[in-house]
Amino acid sequence: MVTMRVGQVVAPSFVEGVASKGVSLRRVRIGRSSVWGSSKGLCAVKLAGMKVVNSGAPRADMSDREMPPSHRIKAASLSAFQEFQNARANRYTKVKSSVMVLGLSIHTTPVEMREKLAIPEAEWPRAIDELSSQNHIEEAGVLSTCNRFEIYVVAVSWNRGVKEVTEWMSKTSGISVEDLMEHIFILRDQDATQHLFRVSSGLDSLVLGEGQILAQVKQVLKVGQEVSGFGRNLTGLFKQAITAGKRVRTETNISAGAVSVSSAAVELAVMKLPEGGVSRVNVLIVGAGKMSKLLVKHLISKGCTRMTIVNRSEQRVLDLQTEFPDANIIYEPLTEMLRCTGESDLVFTSTSSEIPLFTKENVEPLTPASQTSGGVRHFIDISVPRNVAACLSDLSSTRVYNVDDLKEVVAANKEDRRRKAADAQVIIDAEIQNFEAWRDSLETVPTIKKLRSYAERVRQAELEKALSKMPEDLTTKQKRALEDLSRGIVNKLLHGPMQHLRSDGTDSKTVSETIENMHALERMFDLGSEVLVVETKAKGKK
């Protein structure tokens, strides 16, 4: 058994095929191969009995399903990067469009970078329009939450699509492409499909089975359906992902005992506060949205019956007072935020503000926290972008936590997560097959169009030839009769082939037969000479 450290510099002779000498390599298991990757390149080699010694690294005998989300994403993403490097130019006219996801999540990227890419829901349509107008991107969708930022696209050239999306992300965020590539994951086709289905099912969440992500995926579909750049493929993908998410939650016990980001934040507060937890300290919540509502719910469950909520408008707080009549919920306007903070020991922030609400300058002069919390004021910020500046940690009487710190809360139930995820994966695999069958059935659409176009050209040519041989005094009625006759003959001849080119995608065997019929018709009628839809798309955008 040979042992190495992750990140250890390897001698050039150690791994056969490594061209870059002295490069710091990292090993990730993909199937039976071990992939060693660095910013300078990748090399896939088969190494028996190799083990990476690292608390967070995948074992050599670990199956794909046993891998934690961060390593599963990294494995598939490294594979995609390798293909990206080897892809040849101008391949998009020979293969069908690829479904891809490029993103950064809490598993791979610190909040400091994620917050620079975060896009408010109101800006999603603009982002979709900008992305789908790129030369090699047909469709686009955006999923932006506190834990992840992901761009879903359908690209006529997947390697060129990667370049266009990463450049767009760099331009939008101000982060260089080189820095993005240090953290970004890229998944395509079935890997991309599986990733979204796992996201929708809560398997990729920091908190396994949390329900809020399914609602967020639904919102992506709702917003996307109002934008032309969110097309048929992504509509089908997100609908199937929602179906998978619903099935996983109803057919497994993954949601039993599941918690949300908000409840994990409350658990973190209980862990950090002195004995008595949230029930004895003065609590302030900044913001009154969905996350804040869940904060109230879980604070009450931990014995906190009095809390102050600062918000721009009063109505949402009144609604919370009505929903939780047993709690003493006090409303204060946003202008009183700093005063209320000075009177609080524990502060939760959950707003859509794009700039920090709390800085070292406006917090340092505040009255110290009470001795109930040990004289320490705790800020738990579950917003992305962050509402609390990191520099507050410099103050000796202040502790600052963000969404990345919630990992501490969920670290204890890894084994339970793995068992529940295995049950859910069976359902996800079935839904992936359904989506792939549906998408395969779409392959025949261009062939149907080309066959109709070919038949129409032949019909018009033969009709004109026939009319040229007839008397010039034909009436309009007679010409219309000949026109209808030619159309009727063509439609009846095409009826059989068209029936064998149509499939709803529900039966994989039927889809397979339909694809075979498609290839046969393309050969018989030489439809390959017809201009492909993807070629028209790519050429039209140049």
Side-chain angles (χ1 to χ4, degrees), residues 243-261:
T243 299
K246 289 178 178 177
R247 282 193 60 195
V248 166
R249 286 172 172 80
T250 56
E251 298 177 30
T252 72
N253 66 343
I254 196 169
S255 296
V259 289
S260 63
V261 170

Side-chain angles (χ1 to χ4, degrees), residues 300-367:
I300 293 172
S301 71
K302 295 295 182 181
C304 178
T305 57
R306 186 181 186 279
M307 61 197 79
T308 301
I309 299 180
V310 169
N311 197 50
R312 284 192 179 88
S313 62
E314 186 177 8
Q315 185 56 52
R316 286 188 174 181
V317 180
L318 293 175
D319 292 340
L320 291 173
Q321 290 171 345
T322 303
E323 187 169 351
F324 303 101
D326 295 334
N328 182 13
I329 300 175
I330 302 167
Y331 165 73
E332 291 287 354
L334 195 59
T335 53
E336 299 297 316
M337 181 184 72
L338 291 177
R339 178 184 62 79
C340 294
T341 302
E343 299 171 355
S344 303
D345 307 309
L346 174 62
V347 181
F348 293 95
T349 63
S350 177
T351 80
S352 58
S353 174
E354 296 185 7
I355 60 174
L357 300 177
F358 296 97
T359 63
K360 187 175 181 180
E361 290 71 25
N362 63 19
V363 171
E364 190 170 19
L366 297 180
T367 305

Side-chain angles (χ1 to χ4, degrees), residues 62-80:
M62 183 182 290
S63 69
D64 292 341
R65 290 185 183 178
E66 288 181 310
M67 283 188 185
S70 58
H71 292 302
R72 188 180 296 107
I73 289 174
K74 185 178 289 184
S77 188
L78 286 173
S79 179

Side-chain angles (χ1 to χ4, degrees), residues 181-196:
M181 285 301 188
E182 290 291 324
H183 299 279
I184 198 171
F185 64 85
I186 302 173
L187 304 173
R188 60 180 289 216
D189 298 326
Q190 191 165 351
D191 286 332
T193 302
Q194 173 154 228
H195 174 72
L196 178 58

Side-chain angles (χ1 to χ4, degrees), residues 268-283:
L268 181 64
V270 172
M271 292 170 59
K272 300 300 180 182
L273 289 170
E275 187 177 352
V278 297
S279 63
R280 297 181 57 207
V281 297
N282 298 316
V283 177

